Amino acid sequence: QVQLVESGGGLVQAGGSLRLSCAASGRAFSAYMMGWFRQAPGKEREFVAAISWSYGFTYYAESLKGRFTISRDNAKNTVYLQMNSLEPEDSAVYYCAAGNTLGAVVVVGSVAYWGKGTLVTVSS
């Protein structure tokens, strides 16, 4: 089992920044790919970004490249999502995810483990 706990969500004005954190624990979590998804009210959950623990390989949703940055701190067992130039359309619950391949953290149905989510609200 892998446990994922998100933090860092909150209310921010448009144009502002937030950094989300995902603390990982459990059996062999470092062997997994880590990802972030988001789900806005009334919409489907969508992929945001992914990173590998071992090599730091990153992958992003095309529409979010340049504004969002995923990173990890192996010593702290934590993955981050830095979000800049936030827009009201970025308002959503953001979920941390883990899977054993890249494909397993870019497709909702393939994710092995989910966190409970953290709410981000961007005001206009």
Side-chain angles (χ1 to χ4, degrees):
Q1 288 287 335
V2 175
Q3 292 80 41
L4 306 172
V5 179
E6 304 95 334
S7 61
L11 175 64
V12 63
Q13 288 189 333
S17 299
L18 276 177
R19 188 178 77 159
L20 306 182
S21 300
C22 172
S25 62
R27 184 177 180 181
F29 69 88
S30 61
Y32 286 82
M33 291 288 295
M34 302 295 296
W36 286 96
F37 288 74
R38 67 183 185 182
Q39 187 167 19
K43 295 188 176 181
E44 293 185 351
R45 194 169 296 189
E46 64 175 357
F47 169 73
V48 173
I51 190 167
S52 67
W53 279 113
S54 299
Y55 301 104
F57 168 79
T58 58
Y59 182 70
Y60 294 91
E62 193 65 30
S63 62
L64 299 175
K65 273 184 181 178
R67 291 197 301 123
F68 287 18
T69 303
I70 191 171
S71 62
R72 90 275 193 232
D73 185 331
N74 291 39
K76 295 182 178 180
N77 300 335
T78 300
V79 174
Y80 302 99
L81 184 69
Q82 178 68 42
M83 305 184 295
N84 298 326
S85 302
L86 284 163
E87 305 166 354
E89 293 72 24
D90 295 315
S91 296
V93 177
Y94 283 71
Y95 296 92
C96 186
N100 55 13
T101 65
L102 176 60
V105 289
V106 300
V107 177
V108 171
S110 298
V111 171
Y113 300 99
W114 291 101
K116 293 184 177 181
T118 185
L119 178 63
V120 172
T121 304
V122 184
S123 63
S124 57

